């Protein structure tokens, strides 16, 4: 019986092995989403800037230097943000060439420091409020009868009914090859998502959005596409002050601004809402309307039921409160 092994015999094999290492590194990097890439890039830039200011090297990220950095930033940044910065440093060290460097997050000094920071400065994340159905209906009545009003109505209704993330909503397209595209069918519309945050392996998903009986997301989207004369490309686009529809798609920030303007129009505090409020509000309203856990998890494309459970728990906060039985 012959044993199989990788044997480096000459220069050609060495070159081949180097190519395989390079390819392996690219595959590893491809496993990180674009949003995570951006967050890591910003986090490492912050670390680099601090290192420059105190006259130390940022790479390799030695444990003592990382301890000093985290200690200096602890009064300024949330513990969760510091954890993100540490993850970014670990990622950079894992991908270092020609060989990976020790990850600072694994060092006992850094672990002990982060434990103390979380205990002293840790606080639960402040989640934005959901834009629930009744509030959404009130806000829709305040939209202007214009191109902007038509677009914003479609953004709000499609975002609410599909519970897409704001970056996905902004990227919605008519093109068949697009990562996120819509197809109108006899029952309503299907939104095809090639890959998303909860689907890192790219299995893809189809979000079914049926016709509505009161405020219809399907008809709102059709009306906007027709009014803007969109034949291909991104659906939700910028409109200038002269009423001209541009070719470039809205940003995630623009989606958030549309939500904030809508809640502000009905007297709610815009600072309590974000682009994520459509997703949160949609899931909350669907749960209150009787949707089962499995239905919600599938529609929201949550990888784990525990994630869906967080939304459900928040939706039931008042309905399940023991204070209802206090007799007050």
């Amino acid at each position: 019986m012959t044993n199989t092994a990788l044997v480096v015999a000459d220069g050609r094999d060495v070159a081949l092995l180097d190519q395989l290492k390079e390819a392996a590194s690219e595959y590893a990097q491809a496993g990180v989403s674009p949003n995570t890439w951006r967050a890591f890039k910003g986090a490492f830039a912050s670390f680099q800037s601090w290192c420059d200011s105190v006259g130390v090297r940022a790479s390799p990220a030695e444990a003592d230097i990382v301890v000093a950095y985290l200690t200096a930033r602890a009064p300024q940044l949330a513990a969760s943000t510091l954890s993100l910065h540490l993850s970014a440093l670990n990622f950079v060290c894992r991908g270092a060439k020609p060989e990976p460097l020790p990850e600072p997050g694994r060092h006992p000094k850094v672990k002990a420091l982060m434990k103390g920071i979380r205990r002293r400065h840790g606080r639960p994340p402040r989640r934005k409020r959901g834009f629930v159905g009744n509030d959404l209906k009130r806000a829709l009545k305040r939209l202007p009868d214009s191109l902007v009003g038509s677009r914003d109505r479609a953004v709000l209704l499609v975002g609410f009914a599909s519970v897409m993330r704001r970056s996905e909503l902004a990227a919605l397209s008519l093109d068949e090859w697009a990562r996120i595209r819509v197809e109108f069918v006899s029952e309503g519309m299907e939104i095809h998502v090639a890959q998303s945050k909860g689907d890192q392996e790219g299995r893809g998903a189809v979000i079914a959005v049926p016709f509505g009986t009161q405020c219809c997301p399907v008809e709102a989207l059709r009306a906007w596409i027709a009014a803007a004369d969109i034949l291909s490309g991104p659906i939700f686009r910028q409109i200038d002050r002269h009423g001209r529809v541009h070719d470039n798609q809205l940003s995630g920030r623009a989606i958030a601004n549309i939500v904030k303007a809508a809640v502000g129009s009905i007297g709610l505090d815009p600072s309590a809402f974000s682009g994520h409020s459509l997703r949160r509000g949609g899931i909350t309203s669907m749960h209150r309307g009787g949707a089962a856990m499995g239905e919600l998890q599938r529609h929201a494309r949550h990888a784990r039921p525990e994630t869906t459970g967080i939304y459900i728990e928040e939706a039931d906060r008042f309905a399940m409160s023991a204070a209802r039985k206090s007799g007050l």
Side-chain angles (χ1 to χ4, degrees):
M1 185 173 179
T2 304
N3 291 328
T4 302
L6 177 61
V7 179
V8 179
D10 56 30
R12 288 175 300 177
D13 293 317
V14 171
L16 175 60
L17 189 57
D18 287 341
Q19 291 174 12
L20 290 174
K21 287 182 178 179
E22 183 72 21
S25 176
E26 290 178 0
Y27 276 125
Q29 292 176 355
V32 178
S33 72
N35 286 340
T36 302
W37 263 115
R38 285 191 289 271
F40 280 3
K41 184 178 179 181
F44 188 77
S46 175
F47 177 68
Q48 175 81 62
S49 176
W50 180 85
C51 288
D52 291 343
S53 70
V54 297
V56 297
R57 293 187 306 170
S59 182
E62 298 176 357
D64 287 341
I65 294 175
V66 173
V67 164
Y69 170 72
L70 295 173
T71 302
R73 302 305 301 274
Q76 306 160 354
L77 300 177
S80 58
T81 302
L82 290 177
S83 293
L84 170 65
H85 285 210
L86 189 55
S87 296
L89 294 177
N90 287 339
F91 181 80
V92 170
C93 289
R94 285 197 302 271
K97 297 177 182 180
E99 295 294 336
L101 296 170
E103 297 177 31
R106 295 180 179 273
H107 197 282
K109 286 184 180 179
V110 177
K111 286 184 175 181
L113 178 69
M114 283 304 302
K115 185 176 181 180
I117 289 175
R118 292 189 189 99
R119 178 167 292 181
R120 177 168 294 185
H121 298 290
R123 56 186 181 272
R126 183 189 175 193
R127 293 189 174 93
K128 297 296 186 179
R129 290 180 56 186
F131 199 178
V132 294
N134 289 336
D135 289 338
L136 176 63
K137 291 174 184 176
R138 290 168 54 209
L140 291 175
K141 295 178 181 178
R142 301 295 185 93
L143 292 176
D145 185 16
S146 63
L147 263 180
V148 170
S150 178
R151 181 200 62 189
D152 292 358
R153 180 182 180 86
V155 166
L156 295 170
L157 282 171
V158 173
F160 179 89
S162 68
V163 298
M164 284 194 290
R165 298 170 179 87
R166 69 176 187 177
S167 59
E168 296 171 338
L169 187 60
L172 188 63
S173 174
L174 287 175
D175 294 330
E176 291 187 4
W177 49 264
R179 183 176 66 89
I180 303 174
R181 64 181 178 86
V182 65
E183 181 180 355
F184 295 101
V185 295
S186 59
E187 297 92 345
M189 63 184 177
E190 294 178 344
I191 297 174
H192 298 257
V193 182
Q195 189 174 19
S196 65
K197 178 180 178 181
D199 175 30
Q200 295 298 313
E201 296 180 3
R203 289 185 294 269
V206 179
I207 306 170
V209 179
F211 289 106
T213 56
Q214 300 180 45
C215 303
C216 180
V218 182
E219 293 304 329
L221 189 61
R222 283 187 179 276
W224 158 245
I225 290 172
D229 195 25
I230 298 173
L231 301 177
S232 63
I235 293 176
F236 295 126
R237 307 181 179 193
Q238 296 180 10
I239 303 173
D240 65 26
R241 60 190 181 91
H242 301 293
R244 293 179 298 219
V245 179
H246 291 245
D247 292 336
N248 49 323
Q249 71 179 48
L250 290 180
S251 64
R253 171 55 58 187
I255 297 290
N257 288 339
I258 289 172
V259 172
K260 288 177 177 290
V263 298
S265 72
I266 56 173
L268 300 177
D269 179 9
S271 68
F273 294 81
S274 70
H276 187 69
S277 294
L278 287 175
R279 180 170 169 84
R280 183 173 297 280
I283 295 172
T284 296
S285 299
M286 291 168 195
H287 167 67
R288 291 174 178 171
M293 166 74 86
E295 292 177 304
L296 290 171
Q297 183 184 351
R298 184 168 55 253
H299 194 63
R301 294 164 293 129
H302 287 147
R304 298 181 300 168
E306 293 84 357
T307 305
T308 311
I310 293 173
Y311 288 81
I312 291 176
E313 181 180 350
E314 292 178 354
D316 288 342
R317 182 172 292 145
F318 284 93
M320 302 299 290
S321 172
R324 284 187 173 274
K325 301 180 180 180
S326 66
L328 296 178

